[in-house]
Amino acid sequence: MNLLTIQEAAETTGWSPRMLRYIEQAGLVAAGRSDSGYRLYGPEQLQRLRTLRELLNDYGVSLTEVGFAQRLRTDRELAAAVHNWFTAEPARPAEVPPADWLAYEQRKHQNLLESLATTS
């Protein structure tokens, strides 16, 4: 069976070699490997790449969104956290008076943003 190199697959599919590597890293399409470790693409991979592009176009979603959907399917902890976030109702902490709730949430956001800035 004839197989395509990553460059040939990129030319055939319209995805760049870099994007093909990203698609593989996201777990969306797995390329085979040669004995020397080069990525090889057969008809199965080309079909998956074509139907992936159709999925993106038909539903107006991004590759990142499909990659995230894949993570939700394989990472049970992440799936549970997302489910819990969707089903959670906002609730004022009991120790925070109603008049102070907005300021409390603003401080929490400020603290979060500061911690993100120091870790970046």
Side-chain angles (χ1 to χ4, degrees):
M1 172 178 10
N2 292 334
L3 299 172
L4 304 178
T5 65
I6 193 168
Q7 188 61 43
E8 293 167 328
E11 291 168 5
T12 299
T13 64
W15 298 101
S16 69
R18 181 177 180 203
M19 192 57 69
L20 291 175
R21 287 183 200 94
Y22 174 78
I23 290 168
E24 183 178 3
Q25 180 185 8
L28 301 177
V29 175
R33 297 289 179 153
S34 71
D35 292 339
S36 341
Y38 291 104
R39 288 173 177 82
L40 297 173
Y41 295 81
E44 298 90 351
Q45 290 80 22
L46 293 183
Q47 182 182 60
R48 294 291 289 171
L49 290 165
R50 177 183 47 79
T51 57
L52 175 60
R53 189 176 298 277
E54 291 171 350
L55 177 70
L56 301 179
N57 291 336
D58 291 351
Y59 292 93
V61 296
S62 70
L63 195 54
T64 301
E65 290 170 308
V66 175
F68 184 71
Q70 173 66 8
R71 281 191 61 202
L72 285 176
R73 292 177 54 135
T74 58
D75 186 335
R76 292 184 191 273
E77 188 176 340
L78 173 61
V82 170
H83 173 78
N84 290 341
W85 183 84
F86 275 117
T87 58
E89 292 292 328
R92 176 180 50 82
E95 71 277 7
V96 177
D100 296 337
W101 192 15
L102 180 59
Y104 172 83
E105 289 298 334
Q106 287 177 307
R107 280 192 306 277
K108 297 271 288 195
H109 273 274
Q110 188 60 43
N111 291 340
L112 176 61
L113 293 173
E114 288 171 2
S115 71
L116 292 174
T118 60
T119 59
S120 296

